[in-house]
């Protein structure tokens, strides 16, 4: 994640989640951002300004009467260079203050005096009853209507001993959300991207099956990159042990048939389909209901296989894909003669762009090298981390997509749907 050149005001209001803000601040700095911390009096009860100063490398502000500013106006000066203000933790009281437009302490005053258009991101943190209270929900609706972005909350054990909604998101989750909002170029804004990832698992019986070495890392990285580029992302994932990228809707499947059903249900709403999954080519003709036992003869059971449907080919043949309304991207995992196989596969699958890679050099690894194959030929990328390749690929897809006419923008569609 690269936040170099970005300047953030990180506001802390009072809550036990302040301890997570130290980690968040560190993460922001590590990603290259500069951070100006502002704390309320209550926040200073939970964590000291000394900690936040040490982590941010800047003196922390806490009072609107702070005489360090030449004009004595920290509430104006601090936000003027910022690319965003993030309040983490944002307490129930602080949400209420924002909803009312209060200005009797520095942090709420600073939010009220922020330039119009400067993103205000809120990471709520509170007890589950406080979170669910109609007053809090009413205030959240109000601050949203006033232009703030509410980043959502986590669920689970709370410091008070209760369990439920209202925990502040974890520092890495916040970092990812903040990065999305700090990004000014969002080439896939308003687009819907459907991605398949990981292997499929084809059951032989309830305890066995066939699968492959795909880790799903590339498909998940593409989902993260597409979301960062502004897209609404649906990720159809085979059995992998990877965390769902923030803001991405995930549909878990096991078999190729389940993956196909999930893709078919989502493809009509998509603008882009990226088939990054390593779909098993064959499945056992019949999955046994009970475990197949050894019969004592020393002979293994004879398994019969049938071919799985080609999910990508099916989508690429659909009228929407043929008309250009759905841009399809395929992958090819090969072991040799990559360019020849990838070029042939692109034609066979009927897709405008096919991404080739050498399977054994890609499966399970954190880096990879891609070969982008289209009608004009093939272009290799550098060997790089999968995250970086995913960002490059998403930018490439965005460049290749047909420009919007104005009639197919989300705004126009909403207008005619009314
Ligand atoms: N694919 C798919 N459904 C299948 C098989 C493959 O959607 N049943 C997609 C993959 O997600 C990938 C592309 O098709 O985007 C190519 O997959 P790959 O396994 O490399 O190719 P195959 O079609 O299986 O061809 P071959 O076995 O001849 O290499």
């Amino acid at each position: 994640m690269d936040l170099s050149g970005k300047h953030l005001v990180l506001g802390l209001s009072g809550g036990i989640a302040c301890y997570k803000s130290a980690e968040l601040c560190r993460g922001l700095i590590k990603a290259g951002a500069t951070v100006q911390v502002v704390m309320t009096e209550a926040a200073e009860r939970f964590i000291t300004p000394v900690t936040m100063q040490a982590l941010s490398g800047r003196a922390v502000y806490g009072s609107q009467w702070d005489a360090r500013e030449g004009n004595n106006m920290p509430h104006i000066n601090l936000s003027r260079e910022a690319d965003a203000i993030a309040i983490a933790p944002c307490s129930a009281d602080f949400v209420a203050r924002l909803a009312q437009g209060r200005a009797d302490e520095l942090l709420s005053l600073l939010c009220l005096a922020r330039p119009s258009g400067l993103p205000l991101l809120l990471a709520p943190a509170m007890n589950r009853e406080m979170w669910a209270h109609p007053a809090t929900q009413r205030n959240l609706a109000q601050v949203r209507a006033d232009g703030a972005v509410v980043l959502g909350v986590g669920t689970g054990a709370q410091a008070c001993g209760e369990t439920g909604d209202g925990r502040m998101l974890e520092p890495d989750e916040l970092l990812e959300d903040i990065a999305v909002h700090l990004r000014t170029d969002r080439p896939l804004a308003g687009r819907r991207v459907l991605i398949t990832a990981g292997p499929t698992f084809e059951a032989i019986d309830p305890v066995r099956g066939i699968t492959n070495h795909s880790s799903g890392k590339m498909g998940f990285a593409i989902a993260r990159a597409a979301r960062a580029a502004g897209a609404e992302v649906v990720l159809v994932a085979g059995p992998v042990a990877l965390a769902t990228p923030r803001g991405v809707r995930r549909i878990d499947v096991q078999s190729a048939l389940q993956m196909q059903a999930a893709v078919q249900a989502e493809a009509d709403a998509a603008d882009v389909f990226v088939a990054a999954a390593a779909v098993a080519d064959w499945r056992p003709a019949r999955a046994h209901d009970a475990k197949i036992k050894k019969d004592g003869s020393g002979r293994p059971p004879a398994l019969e296989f049938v071919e799985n449907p080609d999910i990508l080919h099916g989508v690429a043949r659909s009228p929407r894909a043929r008309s250009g309304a759905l841009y399809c991207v395929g992958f090819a995992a090969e072991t040799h003669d990559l360019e020849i196989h990838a070029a042939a596969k692109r034609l066979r699958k009927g897709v405008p762009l096919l991404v080739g890679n050498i399977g054994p050099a890609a499966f399970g690894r954190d880096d990879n090298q891609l070969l982008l194959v289209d009608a004009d030929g093939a272009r290799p990328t550098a060997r790089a981390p999968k995250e970086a390749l995913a960002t490059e690929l998403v930018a490439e897809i965005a460049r290749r997509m047909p420009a919007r006419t104005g009639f197919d923008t989300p705004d126009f569609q909403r207008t005619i749907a009314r």
Side-chain angles (χ1 to χ4, degrees):
M1 187 179 303
D2 182 15
L3 296 181
S4 41
K6 300 291 182 188
H7 181 61
L8 199 87
V9 172
L10 176 60
L12 278 66
S13 59
I16 185 62
C18 278
Y19 80 92
K20 294 187 191 175
S21 306
E23 190 73 46
L24 171 63
C25 181
R26 203 166 156 261
L28 288 163
I29 300 281
K30 222 167 135 189
T34 50
V35 179
Q36 175 60 58
V37 176
V38 178
M39 296 172 74
T40 65
E41 214 181 308
E44 292 185 15
R45 296 258 176 176
F46 289 94
I47 187 170
T48 71
V50 176
T51 301
M52 298 308 290
Q53 178 173 349
L55 291 171
S56 64
R58 286 176 180 238
V60 171
Y61 282 75
S63 163
Q64 69 269 44
W65 310 117
D66 198 315
R68 277 175 293 179
E69 292 296 302
N71 60 359
N72 226 312
M73 295 188 194
H75 67 293
I76 302 292
N77 304 348
L78 295 184
S79 68
R80 293 309 184 258
E81 303 301 318
D83 295 292
I85 302 175
I87 311 292
C90 185
S91 66
D93 179 65
F94 200 77
V95 180
R97 293 174 154 278
L98 289 175
Q100 288 181 359
R102 300 288 287 271
D104 55 356
E105 53 79 39
L106 179 59
L107 192 55
S108 36
L109 174 60
L110 183 142
C111 291
L112 193 65
R114 78 186 189 281
S116 64
L118 179 65
L120 173 61
L121 315 174
L122 310 179
M126 64 197 75
N127 160 270
R128 67 190 174 111
E129 299 290 1
M130 293 166 77
W131 171 253
H133 198 286
T136 303
Q137 291 303 319
R138 196 166 56 235
N139 288 335
L140 285 167
Q142 184 61 57
V143 297
R144 272 196 202 97
D146 292 344
V149 176
V150 180
L151 297 177
V153 289
T155 298
Q158 303 196 314
C160 53
E162 297 179 4
T163 302
D165 289 343
R167 269 163 56 139
M168 188 166 86
L169 296 174
E170 297 305 317
D172 56 339
E173 296 175 319
L174 285 175
L175 202 56
E176 213 169 298
D177 282 4
I178 290 170
V180 167
H181 285 93
L182 279 176
R183 215 176 130 156
T184 42
D185 61 319
R186 294 172 167 216
L188 290 181
R191 306 280 196 172
R192 293 203 177 117
V193 178
L194 174 63
I195 300 164
T196 62
T200 62
F201 179 87
E202 311 296 331
I204 294 172
D205 66 19
V207 296
R208 307 183 183 92
I210 58 165
T211 185
N212 58 61
H213 283 307
S214 168
S215 64
K217 284 181 184 167
M218 193 65 209
F220 275 58
I222 295 168
R224 201 170 286 116
R227 193 235 174 185
E232 206 178 294
V233 181
V234 178
L235 177 62
V236 179
V240 292
L242 295 176
T244 308
R246 294 281 305 151
V248 166
R249 182 155 65 86
R250 173 175 180 169
I251 303 172
D252 280 321
V253 296
Q254 293 281 319
S255 66
L257 290 179
Q258 289 169 351
M259 186 173 273
Q260 183 191 38
V263 166
Q264 282 175 345
E266 298 290 336
D268 274 353
D271 301 299
V272 180
F273 175 48
V274 182
V279 184
D281 289 320
W282 305 282
R283 66 178 183 278
R286 123 178 151 83
H288 291 249
D289 293 335
K291 184 181 175 191
I292 305 172
K293 304 290 285 178
K294 289 194 281 288
D295 62 8
S297 70
R299 277 193 306 275
L303 293 176
E304 208 183 308
F305 289 89
V306 292
E307 194 168 319
N308 271 324
D310 191 323
I311 303 170
L312 174 60
H313 191 229
V315 174
R317 265 186 333 203
S318 69
R320 287 189 69 245
R322 282 169 184 256
S323 73
L326 174 59
Y327 189 84
C328 293
V329 181
F331 267 72
E334 308 293 343
T335 53
H336 59 283
D337 295 331
L338 179 59
E339 188 166 342
I340 295 168
H341 286 306
K345 201 168 274 184
R346 188 186 78 83
L347 294 175
R348 203 164 70 239
K349 302 271 175 179
V351 294
L353 177 64
L354 191 117
V355 184
N357 59 169
I358 297 292
F363 283 177
R365 296 182 57 134
D366 289 327
D367 62 351
N368 195 3
Q369 183 176 21
L370 305 178
L371 185 71
L372 304 182
V373 182
D374 64 12
D376 295 329
R379 176 177 77 78
T381 68
R383 183 152 202 106
K386 285 180 178 174
E387 298 288 338
L389 291 174
T391 303
E392 187 178 339
L393 178 61
V394 163
E396 186 75 41
I397 292 169
R399 254 195 309 276
R400 288 158 182 265
M401 285 187 63
R404 286 235 153 99
T405 59
F407 293 108
D408 58 357
T409 60
D411 280 348
F412 182 76
Q413 293 297 332
R414 266 195 293 276
T415 310
I416 54 169
R418 270 192 208 123

